[in-house]
Amino acid sequence: MRIAQIFRFPIKGLPGEKIDSAAVRKGSGLEGDRRVAFGNGTIMHREDQWESCLSFTILKNNKSLQKWRVHSRPPLITMTAPASTGAAPLSFDVNNQADMDAARAYLSKYLPPQGPIPRKLVSAPQGMFDSRLSGISIINPNTVAELSRVSGVHMDPRRYRGNLLIEGVPAYAEYGLIGKVLRIGDVRIAITKSIARCSATSVNPVSTEVDTNGPRLLATYFGHIHCGIYGTVLEPGVLETGAEIQIEDDPSGAEELVPSKVSPRFMTVLRNQELGAGVVELLLEDPFGWIDGHYEAGMHLRVHLPDPLWRNYTITSVAGSRIGIDVRVQGEASSKIAQLNEGEQVLVSGPYGVLTSTKVLGACTAIVSGGIGITPALGLLGDAAAANDSRKLRIIHVERGRASALYSRLEQMASELKSSICLNRIDTTEGRPGPAEIAQYLQGCDSVVVCGPEKFTSMVFEACERAGIPASQIHREVFASPTTDLDRLFEDYPSAEVTCRDSRRSFTWSAKDGVLLEALEDQGVEPASLCRSGSCGECAVKLLRGRVSYPLEPSARVEQDRILTCMAVPAGDIELGA
């Protein structure tokens, strides 16, 4: 493993420059990297202090920045506005206040503000990185090449604005470096986390045009939106192109810097056990123990294979850093996951999901499952406290033939709970139940959880309608792996006005802005999001006025007055709330 290329970005948000070597300091990054950042007018900046990237003019919110040119010989920086402006280059010394004032005026002339507060050109000697502690970003071009191969879209590794492009590392192997210390000559770098990507990766670094949807490509083909890793410098020195990178045996100094995340990391298979009926139970170990801090009963893991293939699986057990999932051996991805051997490592992200016990278990709850859909029921019952708070719990499970091992486990779990639980198992050997039959079990329920294949789910929804269950009280668990490029589905949608009541922002949406989540992020509005593919529901916001369309139907279900911004586009003028 060695350094293939080195890039420095003297002005945050503007293009970088290729260099052969650079000094690094402890707690900082490359000399001169992200040395200055230009405020966008949304907050009053403080001198020499790290600030969130959302308060600066950055590529994510202004794609024209890629048309600028920047060169530097620290502390001197030379920048040139886009050729279309006819502007001459401006050179300035970051240590000279008069020069900084001239640079601020130059930037202000060509870059429009995003807020009313006077803008500043902020100097940060430690580097104004997106992540406060991460001074070095590392990209594995082999991972990017895999994304290009499967998506059919050429993704230049420079789109990801990394300081170091490395070679000699298989695709995806960089996630295995998290929590480790890299030595490059005298330099020691602790690898702290993977990098979640934004719409800045949609800009082609060569043509300077927006030519694809970077985050959606990752979400579609990889099942997550991460590319690259962050590092914190522990010991100073000089980094040079071609330098060898070694992994230290002792990770001291790294592990305490690694924050708890749901992002991709390698887990170890501790057990692979066949349960019969084509179902395999896998017991995985999270090396960082992150699962415990983010898990709620009912959540799921996402397993990522190098093909790449990915699938979601309900978490059926958690004990410290050990996580259990049940895999139905059906389809290419699940078949390969079911064949993982003890001791093997597999890339996993999560836990994800909004169908947690605290949100869906009411005073009288029915959980209706079909086949392998029983796993969400197992997950929800894993929270004994929440299950016991539900005064009545009805479980209706539909499967063919003898009771499965999973149903037997469900019976055991139910017997250990204090709440009133009514178990109902329907054998489909002599016929499948219809809406009328299922509706009988649902009378009087204030919450219904549906887990199973699409046709089964549709039947249960009809049963809920017959039983008078409002749509807002029906919760659906459908795991989908999106493969469609949404851009092609809404390219003919007309422009619309989008108003955000809470942030008091309005903008004109057009098809090139992508789904609402991406458009909102481009405007500096940051709704919560996780999967970015319509399966978790985390990005839901209130629709106060107007109507939206879903060019590709999401799998997550939300309340009637809310929409999934990661999949929705405006169908006319709309107003959004929190």
Side-chain angles (χ1 to χ4, degrees), residues 46-173:
R46 299 164 292 179
E47 288 293 338
D48 296 336
Q49 292 193 43
W50 183 89
E51 300 278 3
S52 167
C53 65
L54 296 179
S55 65
F56 296 111
T57 299
I58 54 176
L59 188 59
K60 174 181 178 179
N61 297 331
N62 187 335
K63 304 300 191 294
S64 71
L65 295 182
Q66 191 62 42
K67 299 181 183 297
W68 288 60
R69 287 179 292 155
V70 182
H71 301 285
S72 70
R73 294 185 63 185
L76 297 176
I77 299 175
T78 299
M79 59 180 170
T80 308
S84 60
T85 66
L90 175 73
S91 297
F92 64 100
D93 185 336
V94 298
N95 296 323
N96 183 294
Q97 188 57 52
D99 279 9
M100 290 285 282
D101 291 341
R104 179 192 59 78
Y106 185 93
L107 290 163
S108 298
K109 183 177 181 180
Y110 301 109
L111 297 175
Q114 294 173 298
I117 298 174
R119 303 156 82 190
K120 294 179 64 176
L121 186 62
V122 181
S123 172
Q126 79 278 9
M128 198 64 77
F129 315 109
D130 284 356
S131 180
R132 186 191 298 266
L133 295 177
S134 300
I136 301 289
S137 55
I138 301 174
I139 303 298
N140 180 4
N142 285 331
T143 298
V144 180
E146 276 296 283
L147 181 61
S148 298
R149 179 184 66 82
V150 296
S151 69
V153 178
H154 175 65
M155 299 294 286
D156 190 311
R158 291 175 295 174
R159 284 184 191 257
Y160 301 96
R161 299 172 66 81
N163 294 125
L164 308 181
L165 270 59
I166 58 176
E167 59 186 10
V169 185
Y172 320 114

Side-chain angles (χ1 to χ4, degrees), residues 26 179-183 188-191 232-235 247-258:
K26 182 177 181 180
K180 300 184 183 303
V181 174
L182 304 184
R183 177 173 286 281
R188 297 178 69 241
I189 300 174
I191 304 302
T232 297
V233 178
L234 302 177
E235 298 293 340
I247 303 173
E248 293 192 350
D249 294 332
D250 182 6
S252 298
E255 293 179 348
E256 61 267 27
L257 298 176
V258 177

Side-chain angles (χ1 to χ4, degrees), residues 245-284:
I245 303 172
Q246 297 179 329
I247 303 173
E248 293 192 350
D249 294 332
D250 182 6
S252 298
E255 293 179 348
E256 61 267 27
L257 298 176
V258 177
S260 177
K261 294 283 186 178
V262 299
S263 48
R265 68 272 194 193
F266 282 98
M267 292 189 183
T268 302
V269 179
L270 297 181
R271 185 176 69 233
N272 181 319
Q273 180 178 355
E274 292 189 13
L275 299 181
V279 176
V280 168
E281 180 186 50
L282 291 182
L283 183 64
L284 307 172

Side-chain angles (χ1 to χ4, degrees), residues 256-566:
E256 61 267 27
L257 298 176
V258 177
S260 177
K261 294 283 186 178
V262 299
S263 48
R265 68 272 194 193
F266 282 98
M267 292 189 183
T268 302
V269 179
L270 297 181
R271 185 176 69 233
N272 181 319
Q273 180 178 355
E274 292 189 13
L275 299 181
V279 176
V280 168
E281 180 186 50
L282 291 182
L283 183 64
L284 307 172
E285 184 165 38
D286 187 339
F288 305 107
W290 290 347
I291 195 77
D292 205 33
H294 299 277
Y295 172 72
E296 293 182 55
M299 285 183 158
H300 58 270
L301 280 185
R302 186 165 290 176
V303 181
H304 312 268
L305 295 176
D307 293 57
L309 296 168
W310 60 271
R311 288 294 182 271
N312 295 314
Y313 298 97
T314 299
I315 298 171
T316 54
S317 67
V318 172
S321 62
R322 298 186 172 190
I323 310 102
I325 61 174
D326 295 299
V327 180
R328 172 86 175 270
V329 185
Q330 184 177 35
E332 183 180 6
S334 292
S335 296
K336 291 184 176 181
I337 291 168
Q339 293 173 16
L340 290 170
N341 297 314
E342 294 180 5
E344 281 192 76
Q345 290 197 319
V346 62
L347 193 64
V348 173
S349 63
Y352 302 123
V354 294
L355 282 188
T356 60
S357 56
T358 54
K359 293 180 181 179
V360 303
L361 296 183
C364 181
T365 303
I367 302 176
V368 189
S369 61
I372 194 63
I374 196 173
T375 55
L378 291 168
L380 289 170
L381 290 193
D383 185 346
N388 285 329
D389 286 341
S390 182
R391 294 192 297 273
K392 294 182 180 180
L393 194 58
R394 304 173 189 172
I395 299 178
I396 305 98
H397 180 59
V398 178
E399 64 182 359
R400 184 179 180 85
R402 298 172 54 187
S404 63
L406 294 179
Y407 186 78
S408 298
R409 189 195 304 173
L410 184 70
E411 288 182 309
Q412 178 63 33
M413 294 176 70
S415 69
E416 296 172 356
L417 296 174
K418 301 176 183 177
S419 58
S420 174
I421 297 181
C422 180
L423 285 176
N424 302 273
R425 180 180 175 276
I426 301 176
D427 184 356
T428 62
T429 301
E430 297 182 359
R432 296 179 179 276
E437 182 178 351
I438 297 297
Q440 297 177 22
Y441 294 99
L442 308 181
Q443 299 294 333
C445 290
D446 61 0
S447 178
V448 176
V449 182
V450 189
C451 318
E454 186 62 38
K455 288 184 179 180
F456 175 82
T457 299
S458 298
M459 182 272 292
V460 177
F461 266 79
E462 185 178 339
C464 290
E465 185 176 356
R466 291 182 178 225
I469 309 295
S472 61
Q473 296 174 240
I474 308 171
H475 312 279
R476 176 174 67 166
E477 185 75 282
V478 178
F479 290 162
S481 174
T483 57
T484 302
D485 186 346
L486 294 183
D487 291 339
R488 301 173 185 173
L489 299 179
F490 55 70
E491 58 186 9
D492 294 328
Y493 275 67
S495 298
E497 290 298 312
V498 178
T499 302
C500 303
R501 177 178 295 183
D502 297 308
S503 61
R504 298 180 180 178
R505 296 193 182 189
S506 297
F507 62 94
T508 301
W509 176 91
S510 63
K512 66 178 178 61
D513 296 320
V515 292
L516 275 170
L517 176 60
E518 293 157 357
L520 291 169
E521 290 176 335
D522 285 346
Q523 296 296 321
V525 180
E526 294 286 331
S529 64
L530 282 177
C531 72
R532 303 180 79 98
S533 57
S535 59
C536 77
E538 190 69 17
C539 67
V541 300
K542 286 186 178 180
L543 179 64
L544 302 176
R545 176 175 54 86
R547 190 169 59 87
V548 300
S549 291
Y550 291 107
L552 188 66
E553 188 67 23
S555 59
R557 186 171 182 83
V558 294
E559 297 176 9
Q560 287 183 316
D561 64 342
R562 300 180 76 82
I563 62 169
L564 293 178
T565 58
C566 76

